């Protein structure tokens, strides 16, 4: 399974980065969204996979039955998902405003602020 | 529990919340912003004082013991950074009271500003690698919003690059954290240091270290990862530029120094040499970028890049003197660079442009401003006996001691080019006579003789920061003693690890 | 995969394979289009299939806690469909 | 002594107010400080002249080896007296030269700053402190040259001087730091005794070159001399003080100071002597090609600096004595000449020798002073400079190995001086007065006092050298030689080869003067090579090359194309990671558990194909839908491996992402295929390499994995201590609630960001 | 016994959903594709959730599984309606074998009005879509 | 163009979704859910309402400006954290009381739960601010 | 009364969903449901009777129809040739309230082979897409009688 997921994660990173390298600002956006997902899946995979129970203590027990999935990795991913969502929302609107301001979605037209 | 440690985090948080609750009530927010920034600066001073006298301060959030709960920890390096951040927060707040326009003040400037301070302070105090990631994101999102606040086209364009490249950096960071956690099963940095010191896979650790190098290298704007900075820093209102210039990249530098003294020290022959090479290239490319510019803030922005090279040079040298020099350099640079941006804002307020060609005559009409410009400008270039000289000198001495002649030569040559480009600003904006065009678009109320509103509160922080620059230049020893001690703490992290985890039995 | 007998284990293997094949078939439609509504239909089907997947997995691993995830998906999966539809109609109105 | 050094700085701060308070008398008032200092240093003459040295040390930045330590020996005293003595006259002069200038305060302030810096430079014991003052003199010179800042030429000249001396400063810093390393101390007083070790060290040659670079740039040695004539943009008192009497001699001071430490070796002798001799000749020659008085004087200063350098290169006792004597003499006569030129300009309105003439009637005092000083420049008459020149000739003729080379050079140099002296001493004053000078008049006292005192001083010292010159020269030469040999200075040494040489130079010089108009004409036709091949041209070319380099580098790196930035970042990351993975990692068998089941493979395929669909989609909303598929696939992975919270959140966030994109895309243009085939191929390769590296890293991580005791702790304490059964949620709201606090801050801030982006639109003419 | 019922329901549900998958691929236009995609899938998911209700002998789980079924039955047709209507409004073409279209001309997209047959007018569906 | 079918369904779904969100919030400490997921479900309810009825109606129904929920939510989380400090313990230390109201059995109420409520408010405020702002733009 | 029933329904949903059938939980659900109703402005709108028997009858009928129709779709999907005769029909409505119309429309959609597209603004007509329209008028009548009549029986 790690092999499969490694391939999947690698593929996600590759596609995300490919999209980020496009000239179309909208593709850039989709690439960023994919990249967040890819990073989350990477954390999930490298923290170790157990086809096991969720890290939830059954009622009446005081610890989850072993083996259980790593809860800390999950908490990290949850935090990362939320952060990613907030940032993506901002980016979406920023892109929207950029297209409005410049009148094109071609990133090559956005270079007035450099030299 | 050290209240100063907590206050460094809580004050900006609560101030941000209070400003948010006072949404669109401008006067209230101005008062809250000033009070909050003052209190925050006070807290950081208290923190530094405690750390300097009582040693490393730690707190376990939620009372969960390390390495299980999140640790916030202040060693001398953190505390120094926090103090400088607090000082800049206060200075820029006072400046903003005079310079920020009412609409931006109404629409969230103060809450965003304090969230930014929260993120920065959090990053300095984080004792947990994932928590560091979170604070980075807090800082970034606040900087995103501040960058676009006002929504002018240049801001939006600059923001696209700034946001994209910083998000890529965050992705690297997150990836690296994920792999690190996978390898070690822990996030607490002290615990990580222990785990990595006895790792069975040193090569993998080096690889992860390189990922962190890229992630923080982007944040810190090193070669060849700095592009977001010159593309965006000159676009927002100047107070925002100033706080960005002072703090943001320095958080990246902080993180570089932290992880490459605490975590990734297994392969210094490779990684730290690499950092040294990057340092040299960063200095050189940054200063050349500045030489090519003809606009006040763009020159300053490129100089940030260049100066980052000095800051990581000490890290690359990896000696007490080098690191002490780096920390001294960061401190000096934050004060000086923020001040230069603030001064550019005053020039803009008086002349309505940042373009050097259209500026001029400020020496004749604004001798005080001219003098105030010279202090940070020469300090930036390392002219003795200002703060930049002591900073550069320590790095050069450390470099010579390590026989790294190439990077030392680069550092000194870049200093000269920095001087060149500061005198360019001086000659064009101050010495040169009034140009006919400069009056083309005067600010409302900036006509001859009429002092535009808000100038007093814009001048005040500039004067204070210039005084500080002179003071730490002339009396560098106290600060240097402090940075030296900070560097020793960094190079021997046992104290840090024990402060967080308790001594090993 | 605790708590299930060999029968359900085998059956769930088959059913999961069926469900995931459906996902791939829907993906083909999503890629092929040709119209946006076609793609949205495919996405809608994928959302429903995922609900089914969760249900099967719940039985397979004896984890009733997964049910909440299924309910969430059942409730809001169609929100994105509505958003797409709204988008299309607005586009038509312009 | 510390007070003496620092008093200049303190008064510099007060100068603007002082000027406001004292008005026209400001020059006289400020001159009290250098006067007092002169008296102070004069009072030390007996003690120091007897061979003593004073040493004062204050702690400054001990961590950097920087202590504020001062060391006063004969050499330092000679310079200190020059600085303060001439300074006194300069301050008086300045008050008269710029009586109504609104910026007189700033001017005096800068001048005081310079004086303090110069004193510090020559008295510093610590080499870093020496460098600090060295740089301060450059900086104050920058401001003083650029004093008439509305003139572009003044600004350019100021910058040129700053950059040229700045390069030298950088070299000097490197040099002294290495010297400190090699010599084991940063104190000159200590280093003086360690010359042998230092000269034997492998770093000796780099140190020597670096220090010499510092000295040569500051003292305007060929090929760095060009900044000095350009610096004549400065007001005349500045030219007299900085660019003739004192600052430019800092290089000479440095050579003298370093002689015991670095001197005497073959490289030293070869380099210093040659550069000095060449500079002497070049300066002398170039002086003849100018008509502006200050330009001519500047080039003769270059020549004099060359002479001094040459003498220090020779390193003999004779040479050291000659050097010190000549240095003292030069300060007097050159100061007088410059000030005289300023008085002329003040009185007659011009500095061009072709436009001046017959002024001796109207400006008798100035004429007298200038005449005496010109005699000194020529090296004849009852002046100290004559003694100096005789010593110089003796020293050159005595030194056998280089005599053949140096003697003709010195002869030529002396002759050129004579010619120059004739030009500046005769031309403006003798002959008939042109009509346009009819309203010329004698300068006020403050303006003639300086030249007269200086010129007279030269005569007095020439006639009675034993009063002042002998103790000073003996003591300062002793500093260079590290042994004391009493200097026997006298105007008349009787007929000897040197005297004959002198006579020859006089004749030659007068011949040159006769031929001067012809020389100028023919030179004017040939100076094209100077403007094309001269060092100042190199400077120009250097600046152009710098700006070309800067611009092309910036165009290349900061191109404005976001994609290129990203590509550079990715290539960097790929390169580093690939190197580390290939060269630094020991690969181990990868872990394959848990095993892949059929539906796992399908889910994997779903995610990958969904991502590819998103990448390849020609429609924006199609891409969004494909993104939804990827999200669904990832949720399935979360479901399959025990993460219901993640799956649930992923669903929810995915739905909102889709909504967000759909809402926002409503206004966005359609996809266009913008990249060409090559660009796409390039990006596929870069992205593919990144993906492969990430995959490899993930696989590697599984081999190095160890179980998390943190997770174990959380499982243990979730119910017992934190009252919650959902461990993930307990982590979020309790164990690691600080993360969550940050996370929601991000979310709230993002919301504000969105709000301001859409609500706060620019008004016309904002941005403070 | 319940195990067999569960197994049967699972297989039935899986089969329906697979049917939906094949259907969405095979059907000729968007409207006919929605038939299997909405209906068969809803039924399939219903069966699978029912299997959960049968399998777990726990009242809480059973009621929640039934609630989930109810939610699916509530939302799926609304979603289908929204897509179908949007498809028609943007003018996604009907299959050539379609025998009748009584909606033609009833939408006045610009005014945002859908007329009943009684007040049939001359409006035309707007062209476009993605 | 409004849809009668969507509107009717939304009217039914709004209370159901809100209820479900409260359910997720309360149960989150023990079962899957929690403030974030719950907040998103609540936001989904209002977003659906806005799609069905139009944004002005939704705003009128909600009455409060979502942006004010941001400050309020953050204040609640911070207050939950400061409670620990006031009790002389580190920031964000959980403070628990055990309640036994009639008929409800034994319930633990603690600052972490309050914290989760704050998260919930912030999420609702943020998501609605984002969605509504964009919808108004569109 | 209707409000009360609605509220009770929500309370039951709550207990079902929380999975704890205790009196207190029901009370909590009731209270929360009341708040939700007040908040969403739904108070005073609902129209539900308690015709349990008719509901059950209807459901049985409907599920049978559902199964049959699904099999027909299955046959069509799985066989190589299409047997469809699709068309869009206007169904005149007897149902009047929003609730009635929505229930009818959704039930039609859930039945394989038919799909509610939209309701005319005057609520006179429901436009549906049907896949197996052998004869237009007969289809229209069958739908009205078999489905609409039974739905209205339940709701009225
Ligand atoms: Na910065
Ligand atoms: Na969460």
């Amino acid at each position: 399974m790690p092999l499969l997921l490694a391939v999947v994660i690698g593929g996600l990173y590759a596609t995300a980065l490919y999209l980020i390298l496009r000239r179309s600002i909208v593709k850039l956006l989709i690439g960023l969204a994919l990249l967040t997902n890819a990073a989350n899946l990477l954390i999930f995979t490298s923290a170790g996979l157990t086809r096991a129970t969720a890290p939830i203590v059954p009622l009446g027990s005081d610890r989850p039955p072993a083996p259980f999935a790593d809860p800390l990795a999950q908490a990290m991913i949850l935090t990362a998902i939320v952060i990613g969502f907030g940032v993506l929302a901002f980016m979406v609107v920023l892109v929207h405003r950029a297209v409005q301001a410049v009148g094109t979605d071609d990133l090559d037209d956005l270079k007035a602020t450099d030299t | 529990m050290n209240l100063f440690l907590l206050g460094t985090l809580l004050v900006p948080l609560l101030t941000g919340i209070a400003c948010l609750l006072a949404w669109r009530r401008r006067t209230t927010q101005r008062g809250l912003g000033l009070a909050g920034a003052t209190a925050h600066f006070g807290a950081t001073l208290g923190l530094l004082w405690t750390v300097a006298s009582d040693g490393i301060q730690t707190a376990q959030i939620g009372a969960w013991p390390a390495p299980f709960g999140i640790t916030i920890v202040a060693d001398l390096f953190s505390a120094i950074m926090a103090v400088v951040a607090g000082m800049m927060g206060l200075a820029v707040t006072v400046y903003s009271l005079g310079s920020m326009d009412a609409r931006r003040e109404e629409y969230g400037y103060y809450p965003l500003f304090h969230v930014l301070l929260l993120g920065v302070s959090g990053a300095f105090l984080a004792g947990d690698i994932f928590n560091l990631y979170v604070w980075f994101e807090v800082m970034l999102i606040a900087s995103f919003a501040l960058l676009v606040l006002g929504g002018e086209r240049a801001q939006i364009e600059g923001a696209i690059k700034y946001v994209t490249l910083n998000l890529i950096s965050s992705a690297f960071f997150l990836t690296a954290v994920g792999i690190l956690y996978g390898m070690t099963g822990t996030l607490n940095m002290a615990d990580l240091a222990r785990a990595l010191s006895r790792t069975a896979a040193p090569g993998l650790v080096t690889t992860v270290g390189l990922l962190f190098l890229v992630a923080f290298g982007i944040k810190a704007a090193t070669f060849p990862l700095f592009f977001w900075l010159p593309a965006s820093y000159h676009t927002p209102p100047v107070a925002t530029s100033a706080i960005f210039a002072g703090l943001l990249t320095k958080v990246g530098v902080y993180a570089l120094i932290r992880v490459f003294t605490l975590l990734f020290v297994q392969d210094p022959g490779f990684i730290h040499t690499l950092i040294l090479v990057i340092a040299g290239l960063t200095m050189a490319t940054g200063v050349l970028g500045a030489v090519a510019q003809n606009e006040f803030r763009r020159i300053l922005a490129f100089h940030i890049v260049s100066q980052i090279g000095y800051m990581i040079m000490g890290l690359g040298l990896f000696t007490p003197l080098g690191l002490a020099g780096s920390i001294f350099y960061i401190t000096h640079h934050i004060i000086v660079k923020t001040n230069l941006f603030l001064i550019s804002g005053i020039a803009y307020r008086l002349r309505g442009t940042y373009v050097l060609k259209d500026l001029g005559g400020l020496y004749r009409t604004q001798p005080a401003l001219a003098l105030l410009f010279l202090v940070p400008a020469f300090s930036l270039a390392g002219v003795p006996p200002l703060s930049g000289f002591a900073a550069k000198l320590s790095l050069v001495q450390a470099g010579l001691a390590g026989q790294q002649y190439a990077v030392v030569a680069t550092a000194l040559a870049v200093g000269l080019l920095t001087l060149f480009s500061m005198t360019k600003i001086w000659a064009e904006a101050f010495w040169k006579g009034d140009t006919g065009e400069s009056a083309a678009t005067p600010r409302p109320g900036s006509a001859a003789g009429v002092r535009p509103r808000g100038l007093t509160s814009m001048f005040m922080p500039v004067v204070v920061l210039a005084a500080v620059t002179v003071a730490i230049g002339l009396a560098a020893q106290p600060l240097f003693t402090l940075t030296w001690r900070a560097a020793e703490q960094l190079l021997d992290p046992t104290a840090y690890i024990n402060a967080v985890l308790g001594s090993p039995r | 995969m605790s708590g299930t007998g060999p029968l359900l284990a085998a059956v769930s293997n088959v059913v999961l394979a069926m469900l995931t094949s459906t996902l791939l078939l829907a993906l083909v439609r999503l890629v092929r289009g040709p119209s946006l509504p076609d793609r949205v239909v495919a996405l809608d089907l994928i959302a429903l299939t995922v609900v089914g997947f969760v249900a099967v997995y719940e039985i397979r691993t004896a984890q009733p806690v997964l049910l909440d995830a299924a309910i969430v998906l059942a409730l809001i999966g169609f929100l994105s469909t509505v958003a797409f539809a709204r988008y299309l109609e607005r586009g038509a109105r312009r | 002594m510390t007070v003496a050094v620092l008093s200049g700085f303190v008064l510099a701060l007060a100068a603007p107010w002082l000027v406001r308070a004292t008005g026209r008398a400001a020059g006289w008032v400020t001159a009290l400080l250098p006067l007092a200092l002169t008296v102070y240093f004069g009072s030390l003459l007996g003690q120091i002249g007897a061979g003593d040295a004073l040493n004062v040390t204050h702690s400054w930045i001990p961590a950097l080896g920087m202590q504020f330590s001062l060391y006063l020996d004969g050499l330092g005293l000679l310079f200190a007296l020059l600085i303060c003595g001439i300074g006194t006259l300069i301050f008086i002069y300045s008050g008269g030269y710029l009586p109504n200038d609104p910026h007189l305060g700033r001017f005096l302030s800068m001048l005081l700053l310079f004086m303090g810096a110069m004193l510090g430079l020559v008295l510093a014991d610590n080499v870093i402190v020496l460098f600090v003052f060295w740089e301060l003199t450059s900086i104050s010179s920058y401001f003083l040259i650029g004093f008439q800042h509305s003139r572009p030429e003044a600004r350019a000249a100021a910058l040129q001087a700053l950059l040229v001396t700045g390069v030298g400063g950088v070299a000097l810093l490197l040099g002294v730091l290495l010297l400190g390393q090699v010599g084991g101390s940063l104190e000159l007083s200590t280093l003086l005794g360690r010359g042998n070790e230092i000269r034997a060290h492998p770093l000796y040659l780099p140190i020597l070159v670096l220090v010499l670079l510092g000295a040569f740039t500051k003292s305007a040695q060929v090929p760095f001399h060009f900044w000095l004539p350009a610096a004549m943009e400065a007001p005349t008192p500045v030219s007299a003080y900085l660019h003739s009497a004192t600052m430019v001699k800092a290089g000479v001071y440095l050579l003298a100071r370093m002689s015991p430490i670095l001197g005497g070796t073959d490289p030293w002798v070869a380099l210093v002597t040659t550069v000095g001799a060449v500079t002497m000749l070049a300066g002398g020659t170039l002086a003849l090609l100018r008509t502006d008085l200050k330009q001519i004087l500047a080039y003769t200063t270059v020549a004099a600096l060359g002479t001094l350098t040459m003498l220090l290169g020779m390193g003999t006792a004779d040479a050291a004595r000659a050097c010190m004597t000549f240095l003292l003499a030069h300060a007097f006569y050159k100061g007088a000449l410059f000030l005289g030129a300023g008085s002329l300009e003040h009185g007659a309105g011009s500095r061009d020798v072709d436009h001046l003439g017959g002024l001796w009637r109207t400006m008798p005092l100035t004429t007298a002073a200038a005449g005496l000083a010109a005699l000194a420049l020529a090296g004849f008459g009852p002046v100290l400079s004559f003694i100096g020149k005789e010593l110089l000739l003796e020293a050159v003729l005595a030194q056998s190995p280089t005599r053949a080379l140096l003697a003709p050079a010195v002869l030529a140099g002396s002759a050129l001086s004579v010619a120059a002296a004739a030009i500046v001493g005769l031309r403006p004053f003798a002959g008939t007065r042109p009509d346009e000078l009819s309203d010329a008049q004698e300068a006020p006292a403050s303006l003639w006092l300086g030249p007269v005192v200086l010129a007279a001083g030269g005569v007095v010292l020439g006639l009675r050298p034993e009063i002042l010159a002998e103790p000073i020269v003996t003591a300062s030469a002793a500093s260079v030689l590290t042994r004391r040999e009493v200097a026997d200075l006298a105007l008349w040494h009787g007929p000897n080869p040197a005297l004959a040489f002198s006579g020859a130079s006089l004749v030659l010089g007068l011949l040159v003067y006769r031929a001067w108009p012809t020389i100028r004409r023919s030179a004017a036709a040939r100076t094209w090579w100077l403007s094309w091949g001269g060092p100042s041209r190199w400077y120009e070319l250097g600046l152009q090359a710098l700006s070309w380099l800067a611009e092309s580098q910036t165009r290349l790196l900061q191109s404005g194309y976001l994609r290129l930035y990203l590509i550079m970042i990715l290539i960097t990351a790929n390169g580093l990671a690939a190197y580390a993975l290939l060269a630094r990692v020991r690969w181990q068998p990868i872990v394959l558990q848990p095993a892949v089941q059929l539906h796992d493979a399908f889910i994997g395929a779903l995610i990958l194909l969904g991502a590819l669909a998103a990448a390849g989609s020609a429609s924006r909303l199609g891409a969004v839908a494909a993104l939804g598929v990827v999200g669904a696939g990832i949720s399935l992975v979360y479901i399959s491996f025990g993460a219901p919270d993640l799956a649930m959140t992923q669903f929810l966030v995915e739905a909102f992402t889709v909504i967000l994109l759909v809402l926002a895309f409503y206004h966005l243009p359609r996809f266009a295929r913008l990249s060409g085939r090559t660009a796409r191929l390039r990006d596929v390769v870069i992205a593919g390499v990144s993906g492969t590296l990430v995959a490899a890293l993930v696989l590697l991580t599984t081999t190095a994995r160890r179980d998390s005791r943190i997770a174990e702790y959380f499982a243990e304490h979730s119910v017992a201590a934190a009252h919650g059964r959902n461990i993930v949620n307990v982590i979020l709201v309790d164990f690691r609630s600080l993360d969550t606090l940050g996370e929601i801050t991000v979310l709230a801030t993002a919301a504000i960001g969105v709000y301001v982006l859409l609500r706060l639109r620019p008004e016309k003419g904002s941005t403070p | 016994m319940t195990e067999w019922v569960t197994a049967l329901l699972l297989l039935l549900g899986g089969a329906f959903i697979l049917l939906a998958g094949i259907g969405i691929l095979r059907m000729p236009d968007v409207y006919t594709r929605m038939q299997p995609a909405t209906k068969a899938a809803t039924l399939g998911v219903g069966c699978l959730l029912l299997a959960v209700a049968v399998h777990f002998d726990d009242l809480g789980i059973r009621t929640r599984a039934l609630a989930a079924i109810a939610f699916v039955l509530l939302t799926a047709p609304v979603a289908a309606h929204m897509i179908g209507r949007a498809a028609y409004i943007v003018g996604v073409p009907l299959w050539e074998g379609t025998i009748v279209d009584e909606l033609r001309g009833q939408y006045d997209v610009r005014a945002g009005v859908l007329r009943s047959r009684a007040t049939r007018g001359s409006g035309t569906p707007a062209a476009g879509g993605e | 163009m409004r849809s009668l079918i969507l509107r009717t369904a939304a009217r039914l779904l709004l209370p159901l979704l809100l209820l479900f969100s409260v359910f997720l919030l309360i149960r989150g400490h023990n079962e899957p859910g929690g403030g974030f997921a719950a907040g998103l479900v609540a936001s989904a309810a209002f977003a659906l309402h806005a799609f069905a009825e139009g944004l002005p109606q939704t705003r009128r129904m909600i009455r409060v400006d979502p942006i004010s929920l941001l400050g309020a939510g953050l204040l609640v989380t911070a207050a939950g954290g400061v409670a620990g400090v006031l009790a002389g313990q580190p920031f964000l230390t959980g403070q628990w009381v055990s309640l036994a109201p009639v008929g409800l059995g034994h319930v633990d109420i603690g600052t972490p739960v309050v914290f989760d409520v704050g998260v919930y408010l912030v999420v609702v405020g943020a998501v609605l601010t984002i969605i509504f702002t964009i919808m108004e733009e569109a | 009364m209707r409000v009360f029933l609605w509220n009770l329904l929500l309370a039951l949903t709550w207990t079902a969903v929380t999975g704890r059938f205790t009196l207190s939980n029901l009370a909590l659900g009731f209270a929360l449901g009341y708040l939700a109703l007040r908040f969403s402005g739904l108070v005073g709108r609902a129209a539900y009777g308690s015709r349990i028997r008719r509901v059950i009858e209807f459901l049985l009928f409907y599920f049978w129809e559902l199964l049959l129709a699904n099999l027909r779709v299955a046959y069509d999907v799985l066989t190589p040739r299409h047997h469809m005769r699709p068309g869009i029909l206007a169904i005149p409505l007897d149902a009047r309230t929003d609730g009635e119309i929505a229930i009818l429309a959704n039930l039609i959609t859930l039945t394989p082979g038919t799909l509610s597209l939209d309701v005319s603004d005057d609520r006179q007509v429901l436009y549906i897409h049907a896949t197996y329209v052998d004869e237009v008028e007969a289809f229209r009548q069958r739908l009205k009688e078999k489905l609409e009549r039974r739905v209205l029986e339940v709701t009225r």
Side-chain angles (χ1 to χ4, degrees), chain G residues 29-89:
Chain G
F30 198 86
L32 288 171
Y34 181 74
L35 287 176
L37 284 171
R38 279 300 297 267
F39 203 50
S40 55
L42 241 162
V43 173
R45 286 261 191 89
Y48 261 71
S50 55
R51 280 155 273 220
I52 304 291
R53 195 181 57 83
R54 261 184 287 174
V55 170
I56 292 173
E57 267 178 25
F58 173 76
L59 284 179
L60 287 175
F61 155 78
Y62 183 73
F63 278 115
W64 179 243
E65 283 284 296
L66 204 60
L67 205 61
L68 282 183
N70 260 306
L71 291 176
R72 190 167 179 187
V73 170
Y75 177 73
D76 204 9
V77 166
L78 296 174
T79 51
R81 271 196 64 243
H82 293 308
H83 310 282
M84 302 180 295
R85 281 172 57 79
I88 296 179
L89 304 183

Side-chain angles (χ1 to χ4, degrees), chain D residues 698-718:
Chain D
V698 171
L699 280 180
L700 263 176
T701 310
T702 60
T703 69
R705 227 196 93 62
R706 48 171 103 155
D707 283 331
S708 169
R709 70 190 166 109
I710 316 286
E712 190 54 41
Y713 175 91
F714 290 157
E716 200 65 47
H717 292 78
S718 183

Side-chain angles (χ1 to χ4, degrees), chain F residues 28-102:
Chain F
H29 213 50
N30 292 314
E31 308 275 342
F36 184 72
L40 283 184
V41 170
S43 311
F46 294 118
L48 182 64
H49 190 269
F51 276 127
E53 304 275 357
L55 188 54
Q57 276 84 344
T58 313
R59 277 204 188 276
R60 216 171 300 138
M61 181 187 74
I62 301 181
R63 292 192 199 98
V64 292
D65 186 356
I67 235 172
S68 64
L69 287 180
L70 298 178
L74 283 170
L75 191 65
V76 170
T77 46
V82 173
V85 180
L86 296 181
Q89 283 167 311
F91 185 50
L92 286 167
T93 305
Q95 309 294 318
W96 291 89
V97 285
S98 212
L99 298 178
V102 183

Side-chain angles (χ1 to χ4, degrees), chain D residues 105-157:
Chain D
R106 297 179 198 179
F107 182 78
L108 292 179
S109 180
M110 273 298 152
L111 221 48
L112 281 164
L113 182 71
F114 166 76
M115 188 189 75
M118 196 65 209
L119 266 182
L121 195 165
V122 299
L123 296 181
D125 190 8
N126 185 288
V127 287
I128 300 177
V129 173
L130 182 148
F131 170 79
V132 169
F133 288 118
W134 180 281
E135 287 295 277
L136 279 179
T137 61
S138 296
I139 294 291
S140 44
S141 157
Y142 171 74
F143 287 107
L144 288 167
I145 297 174
F147 184 70
Q148 282 152 347
H149 50 83
S150 54
R151 292 168 46 83
E153 299 85 359
R155 300 201 295 268

